[in-house]
Amino acid sequence: MDQSLCMNGGEGRASYAQNSFVQKQVMSRAMPALQETLGELYLASVPECLKLADLGCSSGPNALLFLREMIDSIDAMRKKLNKKEPTFQIFLNDLFNNDFNNLIRSIPSFYEELRREKGGDFGPCFIAAMPGNFYGRLFPDHSLHFIHSSYSVHWRSQALANLVSEFGSPLNKGHIYLARTTPKSVHEAYLDLFKRDMTLFLKSRSEELILGGRMLFTMIGRDATVNLSEDQVSNIYELLGMTISDMVQEGLIEEEKLDDWNMPIYLPTPKEVRHVIQKEGSFHITRFETFKRSARPEMGDDDLQMRGKYAAATIRAVFESILTTHFGEEIMDGLFEKFASKVSHYMKLHEGEYFNILVSVKNG
Ligand SMILES: C[S@@+](CC[C@H](N)C(=O)[O-])C[C@H]1O[C@@H](n2cnc3c(N)ncnc32)[C@H](O)[C@@H]1O
């Protein structure tokens, strides 16, 4: 994962920067929780230098959008309390292959905008990149006040491999993620990996945060209360798997490549998330919400073909790097064209939605 995963870099048509509106909507939905969490943190103690981190920041406008919101929240609060503006030290984290160059190039205009809008008594604000894997330690002991992470912790630390029956046949045959016909043992392997990853994530963050420090994260989850009809899929990755399976039938992809591979993501239920936080034990949950966001285009386009293309571009910007590593670059254009058409077809009958989980926790 350290070597192969990155969102599509740059600012071109296929980039994450241009295809992350769903993630932006989720981030905007989390803003009231962000303001509340920062407010409680600031009222509990007013440090001279606030140390904050965004984990899995990627590149593109969303990373700076979140920084701006955080700075504005603190600024509004300190004005209300008639306090001096704190210094900000903000770390942007992602895996080593992330397009940090693009992100860092946008920092001067961000500083400039802050200076222009907030005037001379603001900050200073120091932004730094902190590349590394968040399933492990990234920062010194008790050095941070607040950690944020949006749409990142549903990524797993590895792709599950060698899931075979006692006779050596692949257990998740014909799929790239959990699908209706996936056997229980594969669900269990995914859940087990999720628990191990999240336990390490929580333990690492609790060591990095000060006592009383706060963390807010959102992730894609799974609504266990929904009963799907026969023609519904449980998630958009099932449709992607079906597209790859069609390409196997057409002789464009080797069957073993599909059968051997399981996507390194897991969409947990709210109960699974609560359980892992409580079992790990470092954090106290202060806010826990679920909400849905539509997979419709940002312009609210009802044209089904456009909706399919839009969903495919969103998924491509996120998954192209790991799909290329496994299946090869030459099939990518064809795969996402077919996928867009499958999504449009599906959306004729069903609304595409992401089910999200938002959690705010306090250390200690
Ligand atoms: C969908 S993007 C979300 C980006 C941004 N937070 C947003 O909401 O637009 C998920 C990001 O998490 C990063 N990521 C996944 N696993 C990671 C890990 N173990 N350590 C650090 N970053 C990781 C990915 O590289 C990717 O940039």
Side-chain angles (χ1 to χ4, degrees), residues 24 227 239 291 303 321:
K24 182 179 174 196
N227 285 322
L239 285 180
F291 59 96
D303 178 304
S321 67

Side-chain angles (χ1 to χ4, degrees), residues 108-133:
S109 54
F110 180 79
Y111 283 150
E112 185 49 44
E113 194 183 292
L114 277 180
R115 264 193 299 272
R116 207 175 42 243
E117 289 178 23
K118 303 225 174 265
D121 65 335
F122 175 78
C125 171
F126 302 103
I127 300 174
M130 179 56 81
N133 186 337

